[in-house]
Amino acid sequence: MAEKIVEEGPVTAEGKEKLRLLTVVRGETLRNRDIYERPPKYELFFPNFVMKELCVGLAFLIIIFMWAYFKDSPLYELSDPAETPSHIKAAWYFVGLQEMLAYFDPYLAGVIIPSMILAGLYLIPFIDPDPVKGIGRFAFKERKFAIGCFLGGVAMWYGLLLVGWFFRGPYWSFYWPWEDHSVVKATEVALWSFPLPAGIAFLVCYGMLVLILPAVIFQNFFFRLGLIRYLITFNLFAVMCFVPIKILLRSAFSVKYILVTPWFNI
Amino acid sequence: MFKPVAKAEAIDPKKIARREAIRKGLFWACWGVFIGFAGILGASIVRFAYPRIVFEPSSIFKAGKPDDYKVGSVALIHGRGVFVIRTEKGFYALSAKCTHLGCQPIWYEDQQVFKCPCHGARFDKEGINFAGPAPLPLPRFHLSLSPDGRLLVDKSTNVGMDFFLEA
Amino acid sequence: MKWVPLGLVRYTVCLGGLSVFFFLLCILTGPFLMLYYVPDVNRAHADVMDIMQVVPFGAFVRNVHRWSACLMIVCVPAHMTRVFLQAAYKPPRQLNWLVGITLLILTYLMCFTGYMLPWDQEAYWGATIGATMAENSPFLGAKGPFSVLPPDKDIHYIMLGGTVLDQPTLSRFFFAHCIAIPGALAGLMGFHFFNIHRAGGMSGPL
């Protein structure tokens, strides 16, 4: 195919047309929306936006100064490698992770799941099939699945944080917020694991349910995504939904592992 | 604007192809050198961060006389990260490092369990991980009697569940 | 970046700018703390005590540092959520989303290395947990599934500078908290802003 030269300059704020070589591309010309046009109604970046930003910053500066004056930041006793305190909590922004770690093997909750979360976040622009829908506004109705998944994940992270912060006492035992922390909780019941065939059956069923069922029910959605994107999306989705399922199994039914293998346990 | 240096038809297509090949070769050679250099730099930074010498406490140490321990007691050897436990069968030494994420479990005498405060792992007196997230039982360390009649704990040697030092 | 569509300038759009603002507050207060803080396991905790109790305005400076870090770690994920909900990661802004996620990771690392430095109980055991998590990573850690590296060659060893938490660990975390991560954070932030401009600024259909 012959190379075309696109000779369209962006419309500048003053409205003057500038003709300059943007780029040399093969195939179609750049889409119209890649070259920004001023909308009919607009406001100025400066001062409107910048002033708003500065006002908010100033308000928070006052808040921080008041907060720093009245509330000292915590400092605990000197570290002692010989003794872990019986009541220990991470800084509040890691309590969600700490709570998640209480249900999983360290390699899962400490490495695999955070990596999957970050991989999922990195992949968002590439697994979203629609390049234009909902840009610049809160389009909850048009992007139900995307927004649902994202807010579900955020809610899970902060939900775990709240549980870890308000419902955990000494020795990471579960306490209701009104319970006295000095009352020692009874020893937990012993955990049990699924036997190997049951574990495999459970995971296979779960995989079928999460990976295949949506493709059958929402066929339009499947074809819009394409196979690879669909698989990536729903694998990430499966991992995300697996976390509350395992937490439920562990806390309600005392299940230690779903799958036990000589190399790793899930 | 620019004046043409030569007429278009005067350029030999072979020459153009050769120029193009040289240009591509140089392009990839530059990238190769850059990536190679970045790789060597990265590898040397990683290597730099591995210390050659570390100053760490010895893994073998003495833990007092056997008579200092009552039958049925669990004693933490302070600062060594080891529980020495005496039962009717004899002595054994358990690692005081939770197999989950490395905190130090606390012996809870009333309920006869080790409780890890960080993520709620629970171990029984034998070091079995019966509840909480710990993936493995607490390791047992080799115990022996030194010539001067004291307990000698060797943290570098793990032993099985049936290991006891006769009292 | 001279104009933005009408109605876009709402307070949710300020979250990104606020994160930068809190980062700047940390950058401004951090070096003052460095005047009195020495990253030595025998001194660190006492130095922080000094800053809190003896140094004039020391407590105030540390509090501002700490609380603005806290607010930053609220603002950065909130900014990310806003960007997701307004679909601002869609073309042509994919690259900026990737940079943004990297900034999120760096912010969390900044907080993790930061709360290590007072070398108090929370710091010590928090660092133990973090290091053991690294030790449990598959392939790279000595304890994780499919581990291939011995305990003195794995990722945990490089993080601690040994097999136990001690002076090398504190030095490493100090370096990471005061030089490596803030440097990367500042550089990537610059790139993040440049990218807004490059991708058409806020003037494009966000």
Side-chain angles (χ1 to χ4, degrees), chain A residues 13 38-45 48, chain C residues 2-7:
Chain A
R38 187 168 54 187
K41 287 182 176 177
Y42 65 95
E43 50 190 318
L44 293 170
F45 180 78
N48 292 27
Chain C
K2 286 184 175 166
W3 40 263
V4 292
L6 188 68

Side-chain angles (χ1 to χ4, degrees), chain B residues 18-132:
Chain B
R18 204 172 64 224
R19 282 272 168 86
E20 186 70 2
I22 291 172
R23 198 188 64 80
K24 269 191 179 165
L26 272 176
F27 176 80
W28 288 113
C30 287
W31 272 112
V33 168
F34 175 72
I35 290 167
F37 183 73
I40 291 169
L41 195 68
S44 42
I45 288 172
V46 171
R47 182 65 194 87
F48 179 84
Y50 276 100
R52 277 214 168 115
I53 305 163
V54 288
F55 300 94
E56 286 173 6
S58 164
S59 61
I60 302 175
F61 58 90
K62 286 179 186 170
K65 290 179 199 149
D67 295 339
D68 297 346
Y69 300 92
K70 277 185 281 180
V71 175
S73 71
V74 174
L76 173 68
I77 311 300
H78 203 78
R80 295 290 191 173
V82 168
F83 289 111
V84 172
I85 298 155
R86 185 173 186 179
T87 59
E88 283 86 30
K89 278 188 184 171
F91 290 91
Y92 58 94
L94 284 181
S95 163
K97 195 176 174 191
C98 181
T99 51
H100 181 237
L101 282 170
C103 292
Q104 184 167 294
I106 297 166
W107 172 245
Y108 206 81
E109 186 70 43
D110 296 353
Q111 298 176 342
Q112 297 280 306
V113 281
F114 292 104
K115 296 184 175 187
C116 183
C118 290
H119 305 92
R122 304 286 185 260
F123 304 89
D124 65 13
K125 202 173 184 177
E126 304 272 290
I128 306 289
N129 50 329
F130 68 93

